[in-house]
C-alpha cells in the first residue's frame, strides 16, 4: 500500500503536466485595457438604460385616483462608475450615485377635478452593482456565462405643475414610491439582457475556427476558462493551424508555453513556436510547398550557368540538348520555427530536381540536389492581422549521390540563392502578406504595437482602439428576438374619460 502511494506521488507531477495543454496563443488584457473597455461599455449601458420600459402605474388613495403611463428616460448621469477584475473569472461593474431623469404622462382625478399632462421626475442616488462571470462555452468561445445584479434608488422626486399642484405634491408620495419601485425592478433585467444576449452576440464575432486561405484554417478555441487576477485577464487559446483537407488533424504541442509578465500596455498577445510550426506543417500536409519553373520562367543567367557547368557533359550525352529546363523545388519536411531573444528564424529542407523536358518525350532528369536554408522572420501586427515577412539568410546545396557532384555544385550556390531571393521568396511573402486575424471582437483593433522575442515564444504589446462602437457592432449582429424572451408590451394610451379611472 505504501509503495503504491509513493508511486502515485511520483507520477502525479507528470499527470498534472499532461492534463494542462500549453496554449499556442495567449492574450492578456491589463487594467489599462479594461479602462478603455469601461469607457465604451459605459456608453453602451447608458443607451440600454435609456430604453428601459416601465409598466403603467395606477391606483387610488381615498378620493384621489391616478394613472401614470408612457414613462421615458430623458437623461442619465453615470459619472461615478468602475469596471474591475475580480479573481478568479469575474468582471465587476459598479455604478454609484447616478441619477436618472424621467418624463411620464399623468391622468389624475381628485373629487370632481380631472387633470392630464406630463410629469418630470428624477431618481437620485442610483446604485448598480453587477458581477459578470466569464467562461469558455462548448465551442471554445469566451462568453458571459452568468450575471448577478443589485440595483437600488435612494431618492426620487416628481415635479408637478398646474392648478392642483399643491394637492399633487401632498399626494405624490404614492406615485413616487410606486415609480421608484418599478424603475429599480427594471434596471437589472435590462442589464441582464444587455450582457447575456447583446454582449455575447459581440463575443460571437471573435474567430474560433475559421479559414485562413484556400489551403489551411486556424483553431482559436479556448483551452480553459479565463484566468482573472486583480490586474489582468489571461486567455489561453489553442492557436493551431490545420490543413482544410484534413480538418480533424491534431498536431501535438511540445513547445514552450508563453509567459506574459508585462502589464504596461493595454493588451499583450503571445505566440509560441508551436503556433508557427503548425502553420508550416499544415501547408506541408496540404501539398502546397512545391514550386515549379520551366522554360521561360527559368532565369536566363541560371540556365546558361547550368548548361555551362558539369551538367554540360550530361547535356552532350542527351539527344535533346536544346530541350527546355525544368526546376522543381519541393520541401521535403515540415519547416521548423525557432524563436530566440535575438530573433526568429525558420529552417527549411528541400529537394531541387533539374530536368530536361523535350517536346513529346519523357523528361530527362539531370540531377537531384538537397537544399538547406534558414530564413529570418519579421513578425508584426497590422490592424488585427498577424503578418510575417521572410528573408533568405543561409543557403546550402549538396548532392545526395556523390561527394564529387557536391563539390561541382559549389559554383551554383550563389546563383541558386539569387533565384530563391528573386523568384521564390516573393511568392512565399505574397502568401503570408494577408496574415491571420488575432481573436479580438469586431470593431476593436491594435495600435502602437511592439514585438519582443523570448526563448521559445514572442509577445506583441499594444494598445486598443475602437474602430466601431459597441452599439454599432451589436446592432449588426443583434439576435432576432423571440416571442418569450425579454418581451415587453408598449404602454397603453391613457383614456381621457374620467370614468375609466
Amino acid at each position: 500500500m505504501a509503495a503504491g502511494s509513493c508511486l502515485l506521488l511520483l507520477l502525479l507531477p507528470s499527470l498534472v503536466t499532461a492534463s494542462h495543454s500549453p496554449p499556442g496563443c495567449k492574450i492578456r488584457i491589463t487594467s489599462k485595457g479594461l479602462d478603455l473597455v469601461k469607457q465604451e461599455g459605459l456608453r453602451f449601458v447608458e443607451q440600454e438604460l435609456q430604453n428601459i420600459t416601465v409598466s403603467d402605474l395606477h391606483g387610488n388613495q381615498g378620493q384621489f385616483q391616478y394613472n401614470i403611463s408612457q414613462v421615458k428616460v430623458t437623461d442619465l448621469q453615470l459619472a461615478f462608475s468602475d469596471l474591475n477584475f475580480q479573481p478568479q473569472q469575474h468582471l465587476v461593474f459598479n455604478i454609484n450615485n447616478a441619477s436618472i431623469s424621467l418624463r411620464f404622462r399623468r391622468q389624475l382625478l381628485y373629487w370632481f377635478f380631472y387633470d392630464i399632462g406630463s410629469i418630470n421626475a428624477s431618481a437620485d442616488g442610483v446604485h448598480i452593482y453587477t458581477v459578470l462571470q466569464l467562461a469558455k462555452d462548448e465551442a471554445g468561445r469566451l462568453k458571459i456565462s452568468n450575471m448577478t445584479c443589485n440595483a437600488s434608488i435612494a431618492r426620487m422626486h416628481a415635479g408637478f405643475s398646474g392648478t392642483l399642484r399643491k394637492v399633487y405634491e401632498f399626494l405624490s408620495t404614492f406615485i413616487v414610491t410606486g415609480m421608484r419601485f418599478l424603475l429599480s425592478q427594471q434596471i437589472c433585467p435590462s442589464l441582464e439582457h444587455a450582457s447575456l444576449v447583446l454582449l455575447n452576440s459581440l463575443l460571437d464575432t471573435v474567430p474560433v475556427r475559421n479559414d485562413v486561405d484556400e489551403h489551411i484554417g486556424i483553431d482559436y478555441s479556448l483551452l480553459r476558462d479565463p484566468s482573472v487576477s486583480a490586474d489582468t485577464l489571461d486567455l489561453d487559446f489553442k492557436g493551431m493551424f490545420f490543413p482544410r483537407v484534413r480538418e480533424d488533424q491534431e498536431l501535438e504541442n511540445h513547445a514552450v508555453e508563453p509567459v506574459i509578465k508585462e502589464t504596461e500596455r493595454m493588451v499583450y498577445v503571445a505566440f509560441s513556436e508551436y503556433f508557427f510550426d503548425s502553420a508550416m506543417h499544415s501547408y506541408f500536409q496540404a501539398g502546397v510547398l512545391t514550386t515549379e519553373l520551366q522554360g521561360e520562367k527559368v532565369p536566363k543567367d541560371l540556365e546558361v550557368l547550368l548548361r555551362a557547368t558539369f551538367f554540360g557533359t550530361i547535356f552532350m550525352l542527351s539527344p535533346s540538348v536544346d530541350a527546355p529546363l525544368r526546376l522543381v523545388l519541393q520541401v521535403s519536411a515540415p519547416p521548423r520555427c525557432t524563436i530566440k531573444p535575438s530573433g526568429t528564424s525558420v529552417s527549411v529542407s528541400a529537394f531541387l530536381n533539374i530536368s530536361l523536358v523535350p517536346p513529346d518525350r519523357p523528361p530527362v532528369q539531370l540531377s537531384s540536389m538537397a537544399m538547406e536554408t534558414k530564413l529570418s522572420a519579421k513578425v508584426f501586427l497590422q490592424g488585427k492581422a498577424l503578418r510575417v515577412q521572410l528573408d533568405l539568410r543561409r543557403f546550402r546545396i549538396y548532392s545526395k549521390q556523390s561527394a564529387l557532384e557536391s563539390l561541382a555544385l559549389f559554383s551554383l550556390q550563389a546563383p541558386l540563392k539569387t533565384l530563391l531571393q528573386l523568384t521564390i521568396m516573393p511568392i512565399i511573402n505574397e502568401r503570408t502578406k494577408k496574415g491571420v486575424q488575432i481573436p479580438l471582437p469586431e470593431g476593436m483593433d491594435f495600435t502602437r504595437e511592439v514585438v519582443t522575442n523570448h526563448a521559445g515564444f514572442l509577445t506583441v504589446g499594444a494598445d486598443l482602439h475602437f474602430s466601431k462602437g459597441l452599439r454599432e457592432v451589436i446592432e449588426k449582429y443583434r439576435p432576432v428576438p423571440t416571442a418569450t424572451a425579454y418581451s415587453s408590451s408598449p404602454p397603453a394610451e391613457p383614456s381621457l374619460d374620467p370614468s375609466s379611472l
Side-chain angles (χ1 to χ4, degrees), residues 423-438:
T423 307
I424 307 302
M425 295 307 300
I427 297 175
I428 297 175
N429 283 322
E430 184 64 28
R431 188 181 297 275
T432 61
K433 182 179 180 180
K434 180 182 177 182
V436 60
Q437 184 178 353
I438 305 302

Side-chain angles (χ1 to χ4, degrees), residues 264-286:
E264 291 78 14
R265 295 296 188 95
M266 293 183 182
V267 63
Y268 289 89
V269 189
F271 304 94
S272 73
E273 293 174 343
Y274 172 80
F275 180 86
F276 302 100
D277 283 346
S278 66
M280 294 180 289
H281 186 272
S282 298
Y283 276 123
F284 180 79
Q285 292 291 325

Side-chain angles (χ1 to χ4, degrees), residues 221-280:
S221 58
L222 282 171
L223 295 174
R224 55 193 65 89
D225 289 336
S227 175
V228 181
S229 70
D231 301 311
T232 60
L233 183 150
D234 289 341
L235 301 168
D236 290 348
F237 296 93
K238 192 171 187 178
M240 184 198 75
F241 293 82
F242 56 86
R244 292 180 59 182
V245 293
R246 298 169 59 184
E247 293 192 2
D248 58 342
Q249 178 176 288
E250 291 280 342
L251 181 64
E252 193 170 352
N253 188 352
H254 298 289
V256 174
E257 178 172 350
V259 177
I260 304 176
K261 298 180 180 180
E262 300 88 348
T263 58
E264 291 78 14
R265 295 296 188 95
M266 293 183 182
V267 63
Y268 289 89
V269 189
F271 304 94
S272 73
E273 293 174 343
Y274 172 80
F275 180 86
F276 302 100
D277 283 346
S278 66
M280 294 180 289

